[in-house]
Amino acid sequence: PNAKFGDQEFCPLKHTFVDGAYVREIFMPKGLLIVSKLHKITHPYFILKGDVSILTENGAIRLKAPYSGVTKAGTKRVLYIHEDTTWVTVHVTKETNIDKIEEEIIAKSYKDMGIEVDEEFETKILEFTEELCPGC
């Protein structure tokens, strides 16, 4: 019921454009539980600062900065922010309009991507939330 969506004052986005790429930086303050958007395209990410737990298809993992990885197409993350965190993603695109970039890189649903969601996924999310953020 207290969910917030998109670019928020307490969780700001920074947009940077370079030839052929879009760099998106988000600051996430300690104590938040965040659900990411569903990614259509594989891309790199970098945790520049912070400490987060992430629910994956294989269970929860904890990552601390500095860290780099690859987000695979079809990924949607549930994160608990243990410490203030700065997370950066890089997307190949010639576009500079944020709304058009989101259309390129973000799916509206798993069904749109031809992915069937595990029926136990919601249970996993609830367990993860309760374990890391009692009362959230």
Side-chain angles (χ1 to χ4, degrees), residues 88-101:
V88 173
T89 59
V90 179
H91 305 273
V92 175
T93 184
K94 293 182 183 189
E95 190 57 64
T96 57
N97 178 292
I98 299 300
D99 292 332
K100 289 182 180 180
I101 292 171

Side-chain angles (χ1 to χ4, degrees), residues 53-64:
S53 285
I54 304 167
L55 180 61
T56 73
E57 62 276 5
N58 299 316
I61 60 170
R62 192 161 178 173
L63 300 177
K64 295 180 181 185

Side-chain angles (χ1 to χ4, degrees), residues 63-131:
L63 300 177
K64 295 180 181 185
Y67 185 86
S68 66
V70 174
T71 297
K72 294 181 182 178
T75 297
K76 182 171 186 163
R77 293 189 173 92
V78 178
L79 303 98
Y80 180 75
I81 313 303
H82 296 282
E83 297 296 333
D84 287 357
T85 297
T86 301
W87 186 296
V88 173
T89 59
V90 179
H91 305 273
V92 175
T93 184
K94 293 182 183 189
E95 190 57 64
T96 57
N97 178 292
I98 299 300
D99 292 332
K100 289 182 180 180
I101 292 171
E102 287 231 348
E103 287 176 23
E104 283 182 17
I105 67 174
I106 302 299
K108 295 188 187 323
S109 70
Y110 286 105
K111 185 177 179 181
D112 288 348
M113 293 190 66
I115 298 172
E116 289 192 32
V117 178
D118 181 347
E119 291 182 14
E120 296 177 25
F121 187 68
E122 191 171 324
T123 301
K124 291 177 186 177
I125 291 172
L126 293 172
E127 290 171 355
F128 173 78
T129 303
E130 186 58 31
E131 177 184 329

Side-chain angles (χ1 to χ4, degrees), residues 7 35 41-42 66 114 130:
D7 194 0
V35 178
I41 299 170
T42 299
E130 186 58 31

